[in-house]
């Protein structure tokens, strides 16, 4: 059996770390099994779906490197869903209901007041043909509900183990609205059947839906896929990650300079007890991906961990891999520059700060002008190399009688304007003799 999985985001918002984690797990699962990965846009909600969100989803998935073998969007497939709905109507599994939202609401309130569960009472099932005709004549259009069997639906979930959902405790779900538009449920099942989806891996917020969906799969005579419901991501303090905040959207992380492989490296391991290590390519993540390592407990997502991982990833990145992007950032420093700064940046654009330090104009910080003037007089003639700092600071130490921090900090402050940063032995050759001399004299240079 060829594994075929899908992700099915709705283009009603941006992808966030939660649905990227689901996407990545699906992708790794497919690639590990030599299977296929489908990107499907669930855009039946025509009021909230937009082209811009749809494009954003494709951009994000592609940027992360999650190549897809097949793309589909539900808005192209209405005729297929219509045909399946007709089949269900013909067998009486899909039945017309004429209640207005207000009527349903009043009914629910009455049930609650009588301490009954607020389940749809199936009044529409006992309407006579004449009553239905009367509703139609009065201008009401039906919405359509699926008649549940009402039973224990059971499946063996890849992450949760055996799961039971009692569908007697659920209202018959509305599959088609009164304006004829489909809600998510039926198109999703029809697509999963038509595309031969073998595994549905999604968030645990869909567990109850799965009970309903299994009944519909069976009503359509389809083979059931295997289900896996992943525990949701929560924040460091256990709070839910709201997809509406946008704060953790992939788009935003990209604009903040987070590398796609930092996101992938973290999200592939979150919720497992495997170590999180920065990986440069997805193949490495495929190699050590194990679905069975994903636990049932909510996984904690920490943006600080992502930044730390980004730092480690950049530190391990060779100059050739970032050269073109550095040029784009206006940082023409070559391999020596990259080697000097790559341990001191969290995101690539931080390189710009250090480029300004070595090649731009900074305000030197001079605490003791006599000391820095003395240091200046001891500066060797150029060109500087990686030994220069050691030799020169030893000479300054000898002459001024200071060492340790009292020696290095004033020199660093004068030469870079900052108390911390890359190793001075690497920065000094990049700063060069003229600029160093001017800075030691307190001139902005
Ligand atoms: N469009 C649904 C969602 O975004 C898809 C759920 C599923 O994977 O079946 O929640």
């Amino acid at each position: 059996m060829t594994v075929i999985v899908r992700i099915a985001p709705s283009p009603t918002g941006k992808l966030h770390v939660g649905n990227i984690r689901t996407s990545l797990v699906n992708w790794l699962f497919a690639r590990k099994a030599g299977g296929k990965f489908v990107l499907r846009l669930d855009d039946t909600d025509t009021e909230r779906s937009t082209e811009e969100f749809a494009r954003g989803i494709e951009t994000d998935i592609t940027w992360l490197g999650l190549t897809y073998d097949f793309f589909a969007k539900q808005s192209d497939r209405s005729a297929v869903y219509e045909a399946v709905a007709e089949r269900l109507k013909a067998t009486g599994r899909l039945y017309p209901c004429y209640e207005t939202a207000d009527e349903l609401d009043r009914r629910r309130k009455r049930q609650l007041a009588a301490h009954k569960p607020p389940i749809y009472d199936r009044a529409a099932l006992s309407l006579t043909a004449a009553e239905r005709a009367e509703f139609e004549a009065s201008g009401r259009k039906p919405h359509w509900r699926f008649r549940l069997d009402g039973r224990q639906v059971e499946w063996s979930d890849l992450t949760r183990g055996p799961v039971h959902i009692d569908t007697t405790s659920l209202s018959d779900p509305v599959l088609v609205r009164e304006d004829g538009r489909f809600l998510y449920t039926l198109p999703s099942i029809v697509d999963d059947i038509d595309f031969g989806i073998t595994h549905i891996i999604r968030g645990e917020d869909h567990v109850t839906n799965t009970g309903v969906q299994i009944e519909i799969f069976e009503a359509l005579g389809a083979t059931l896929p295997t289900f896996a419901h992943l525990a949701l991501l929560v924040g460091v303090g256990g709070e839910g990650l709201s997809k509406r905040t946008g704060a953790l959207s992939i788009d935003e992380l990209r604009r903040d300079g987070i590398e796609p492989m930092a996101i992938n490296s973290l999200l592939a391991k979150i919720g497992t007890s495997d170590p999180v290590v920065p990986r440069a390519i997805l193949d490495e993540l495929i190699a050590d991906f194990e679905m069975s390592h994903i636990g049932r407990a909510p996984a904690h997502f920490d943006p600080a961990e992502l930044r730390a991982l980004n730092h480690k990833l950049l530190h391990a990145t060779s100059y050739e891999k970032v050269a073109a992007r550095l040029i784009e950032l206006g940082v023409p420093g070559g391999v020596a520059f990259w080697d000097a700064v790559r341990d001191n940046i969290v995101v690539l654009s931080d390189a710009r700060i250090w480029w300004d330090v070595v090649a731009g104009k900074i305000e030197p910080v001079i605490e003791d002008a006599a000391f820095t003037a003395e240091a200046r007089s001891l500066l060797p003639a150029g060109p500087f190399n990686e030994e220069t700092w050691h030799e020169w600071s030893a000479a300054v130490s000898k002459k001024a009688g200071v060492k340790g921090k009292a020696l290095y900090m004033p020199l660093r402050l004068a030469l870079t304007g900052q108390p911390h940063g890359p190793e001075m032995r690497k920065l000094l050759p990049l700063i060069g003799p003229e600029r160093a001399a001017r800075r030691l004299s307190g001139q902005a240079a």
Side-chain angles (χ1 to χ4, degrees), residues 333-345:
V335 64
F337 171 76
W338 179 244
D339 186 42
V341 305
R342 66 180 175 179
D343 197 27
N344 289 78
I345 58 177

Side-chain angles (χ1 to χ4, degrees), residues 281-347:
I281 52 168
L282 281 160
D283 280 353
E284 295 177 280
L285 289 174
I286 299 172
D288 65 1
F289 174 78
E290 288 300 339
M291 189 71 187
S292 60
H293 289 190
I294 300 177
R296 285 193 57 174
H300 292 262
F301 173 81
D302 181 359
E305 194 179 358
L306 186 58
R307 290 179 69 77
L309 204 55
N310 207 67
H311 161 74
K312 285 190 203 157
L313 192 69
L314 287 174
H315 182 234
T317 303
S318 67
Y319 174 66
E320 296 72 58
K321 292 261 165 61
V322 287
R325 289 170 64 200
L326 286 174
I327 303 282
E328 241 170 69
L329 284 169
V331 179
V335 64
F337 171 76
W338 179 244
D339 186 42
V341 305
R342 66 180 175 179
D343 197 27
N344 289 78
I345 58 177
V346 172
V347 292

